[in-house]
Amino acid sequence: MIRLIASDLDGTLLQNGAQVLSPEIFKLIPALKKKGIHFIAASGRQYANLRRLFAPLQDEISYIAENGSLCVHEGKVVSSGQIDRGLANEIILDARHQPDCSLLYSSPKKCYVEKGNDRLYDHIKNHVRYDVEMVEDLTTLDALCLKVAICNFDGAHLSFDYFRGKYKDRIKIVTSGNIWFDFIAPNADKGMGLKAIAAHLGVLPDECMTFGDQYNDIEMLSFTPHSYAMANCAEGVERYAAHQTETVEEQLRMLL
């Protein structure tokens, strides 16, 4: 019996660059709730942005935000993580000198972009619709670091290998989309977030169902035998899931 569903957003519930959820989701989630199945939005996105995306149901679901660095159930933080500021600053300084790399710094209340990265600021504020602020120098920012993410508009793969090669022994780095890769806080990933919320609700792993498409989803997919990688997932992600599917909605319908 499924009691808990956790789904990624970008590339999973939001496909082909969509920034608005399908109307069907807002019908399926309440229908699932009536059957005793709770829904979690699990994303690398910020908490405030996720609440906006699910606005009609924002108080009816739980959240695994910032790749598990901020997990919220009924308005209360269930688990969290942070990146050491010394390491975050080292990555920031490094990103400034790498071609076509723009850095996003995430804190609990908002995210930050350094002045000069106008394209990224516009993308985050007006396309993705984050709560974002532009600052002079991210290394002097007085804000907890939940996540560091690097954007390369020409493709994450062009920059990923450099950072992975340099930092893989100090912090986990995963692709989170075609143009993004994320530095994951220690002891905080989507799988750990799901484990924390499931334990809080008294739900077992085999009572969960998960959906994802990128390498920041693999711990969540591995958490339960009822896991689905998207048909168009990043190469290799399907190895961590029990099944594949074209859409999340088609699997949710089968539970009703």
Side-chain angles (χ1 to χ4, degrees):
M1 178 182 175
I2 300 300
R3 297 174 57 198
L4 194 60
I5 294 170
S7 178
D8 171 53
L9 271 290
D10 294 283
T12 304
L13 273 177
L14 296 172
Q15 295 201 22
N16 302 313
Q19 297 298 321
V20 179
L21 291 163
S22 73
E24 186 180 10
I25 283 295
F26 296 102
K27 297 177 182 178
L28 287 169
I29 291 175
L32 291 165
K33 186 175 182 179
K34 287 181 180 179
K35 292 180 71 71
I37 303 172
H38 187 67
F39 186 85
I40 304 172
S43 177
R45 288 178 177 240
Q46 66 175 194
Y47 176 56
N49 178 264
L50 290 174
R51 284 184 62 84
R52 274 195 293 274
L53 281 169
F54 287 90
L57 302 171
Q58 61 183 206
D59 295 322
E60 306 298 318
I61 69 173
S62 301
Y63 300 89
I64 298 172
E66 305 287 7
N67 285 326
S69 286
L70 186 62
C71 302
V72 181
H73 176 71
E74 294 184 341
K76 297 181 180 179
V77 176
V78 176
S79 65
S80 63
Q82 61 178 294
I83 296 176
D84 173 77
R85 278 306 302 272
L87 177 56
N89 284 351
E90 186 177 341
I91 296 167
I92 292 164
L93 292 171
D94 206 353
R96 287 178 184 170
H97 297 97
Q98 298 307 310
D100 304 315
C101 285
S102 298
L103 191 137
L104 187 72
Y105 180 113
S106 295
S107 74
K109 291 186 177 180
K110 65 177 70 173
C111 63
Y112 300 88
V113 173
E114 214 159 51
K115 285 188 176 178
N117 291 318
D118 295 340
R119 185 180 179 186
L120 179 61
Y121 179 80
D122 178 71
H123 177 74
I124 292 298
K125 182 177 178 62
N126 299 314
H127 182 65
V128 186
R129 297 182 61 228
Y130 272 21
D131 290 347
V132 59
E133 182 179 335
M134 189 172 277
V135 296
E136 287 285 350
D137 186 351
L138 289 173
T139 66
T140 62
L141 195 61
D142 183 20
L144 185 73
C145 184
L146 295 181
K147 187 187 76 176
V148 171
I150 287 179
C151 174
N152 186 324
F153 286 104
D154 294 323
H157 66 282
L158 297 174
S159 307
F160 179 72
D161 287 345
Y162 168 79
F163 285 94
R164 182 183 175 190
K166 185 169 182 179
Y167 295 98
K168 65 181 179 181
D169 294 333
R170 301 168 63 189
I171 189 169
K172 186 174 181 179
I173 311 169
V174 295
T175 55
S176 59
N178 293 331
I179 63 173
W180 290 99
F181 56 94
D182 298 344
F183 296 78
I184 308 292
N187 301 318
D189 57 45
K190 291 185 184 182
M192 291 180 184
L194 176 56
K195 181 179 180 180
I197 294 177
H200 182 78
L201 296 174
V203 175
L204 299 173
D206 64 3
E207 296 175 312
C208 297
M209 180 177 285
T210 57
F211 299 88
D213 75 307
Q214 286 286 340
Y215 277 90
N216 62 338
D217 297 315
I218 61 173
E219 290 85 2
M220 183 172 72
L221 293 172
S222 302
F223 181 75
T224 174
H226 309 293
S227 57
Y228 290 82
M230 304 311 291
N232 60 347
C233 66
E235 184 178 357
V237 172
E238 72 280 357
R239 296 197 299 267
Y240 299 91
H243 314 280
Q244 284 192 265
T245 186
E246 293 287 341
T247 70
V248 175
E249 289 89 338
E250 65 183 279
Q251 301 305 322
L252 299 188
R253 286 186 221 112
M254 295 176 67
L255 295 174
L256 298 175

